[in-house]
Structures are given as C-alpha cells and as structure tokens.
Amino acid sequence: MFSEVFRLSSDCIFCKIVAGEIPSKEVYEDEDVLAFEDLHPVAPTHVLVIPKRHIDSVSTATDADAGVLGKVQVAAAKIAADQGLKDFRVVTNNGRGAGQSVFHVHYHLLAGRRMNWPPG
Ligand code: 5GP
Ligand code: ZN
C-alpha cells in the first residue's frame, strides 16, 4: 500500500522511515514531506527534511519533482519558524564526493551554532 502510494524503495533507509519500518523522531509531516531528527546531529538542531516519495538525489530530480522539492524547502522553513529559529542553514549533499551517504534526497536543517562559510 505504502509503496504504491509513495513509490518506496525497499532497500532505502529513508523509505523505511517513511513506511514506519525504522523508528525516527518525527518533527513534521504532511502529505508529501516528512522531517525527523538526524541520528548523529552535528548541530543543536539537526533535522532531515525529505520527500516521502523516493528520489535518489537532487541531480536525479526531474521537472516532475520540482513541486515536491519546493515543498520540502518550505517545510524546512516552517519547522525553523515553529522552533523559533531565525538563523539556520538548509543544505543538501549531492553525490558521495560532496558527502551524500543516503541516496534518498534530503535537506539538512541545521541551527543553534555558528554556521561557517564556506562549508567544509
Ligand atoms: P548525507 O550524509 O547523505 O548528507 O546525510 C545522511 C544523514 O542521515 C546523516 O546526517 C546521518 O546521520 C543520517 N542518518 C543515517 N541513517 C539514519 C537513520 O537511520 N535515522 C536517522 N534519523 N538519521 C540517519
Ligand atoms: Zn528512499
């Protein structure tokens, strides 16, 4: 049922989180988007915001994914507002060389400490 609705990938940990097969600390959910706390936070606030349907990464997204990726970013802003965060970073890693380790596209919402630029 879930896989029909969201086109879940059976060997993807974030699809398993969407399906409820792996527990997570959820902070936001709507029809298309799920957000949950990162297992290994690198900032006082470290939330992962993902589309429920599987997309490998930004570079594999198509025009058909533009709407849901926009919703993911708007959801990140809503979460930040709900948590009273004025300054935060929303970042996605694309490809192993850029630090992507989970190939279900996700945006890191980071806040609560100084954000350096450029990122390492
Ligand atoms: P990436 O390295 O792909 O940009 O980010 C993947 C993120 O997913 C990492 O920050 C990592 O800590 C987090 N992560 C990996 N596995 C799990 C998991 O099972 N649950 C949660 N909540 N986060 C995870
Ligand atoms: Zn997935």
Side-chain angles (χ1 to χ4, degrees):
M1 160 80 173
F2 259 109
S3 57
E4 284 165 24
V5 174
F6 296 120
R7 275 179 277 146
L8 301 180
S9 171
S10 59
D11 56 357
C12 169
I13 48 172
F14 287 178
C15 282
K16 287 182 177 163
I17 286 174
V18 170
E21 292 169 12
I22 293 177
S24 72
K25 292 185 183 165
E26 289 183 15
V27 299
Y28 176 89
E29 181 174 18
D30 66 29
E31 195 182 342
D32 302 306
V33 177
L34 183 69
F36 50 91
E37 291 180 11
D38 196 292
L39 202 54
H40 303 292
V42 298
T45 296
H46 189 171
V47 172
L48 300 172
V49 194
I50 71 169
K52 286 183 174 176
R53 85 162 182 261
H54 184 93
I55 302 166
D56 279 355
S57 56
V58 165
S59 62
T60 62
T62 67
D63 287 346
D65 300 316
V68 74
L69 291 184
K71 287 181 177 181
V72 166
Q73 293 185 61
V74 171
K78 284 181 188 165
I79 295 160
D82 283 351
Q83 297 194 7
L85 301 170
K86 186 167 66 69
D87 300 318
F88 57 89
R89 180 168 288 166
V90 177
V91 63
T92 185
N93 297 322
N94 188 90
R96 283 192 201 284
Q100 186 175 7
S101 59
V102 176
F103 284 78
H104 178 132
V105 73
H106 51 280
Y107 288 69
H108 299 257
L109 169 61
L110 300 165
R113 64 163 170 79
R114 181 178 172 78
M115 293 291 147
N116 296 316
W117 192 263

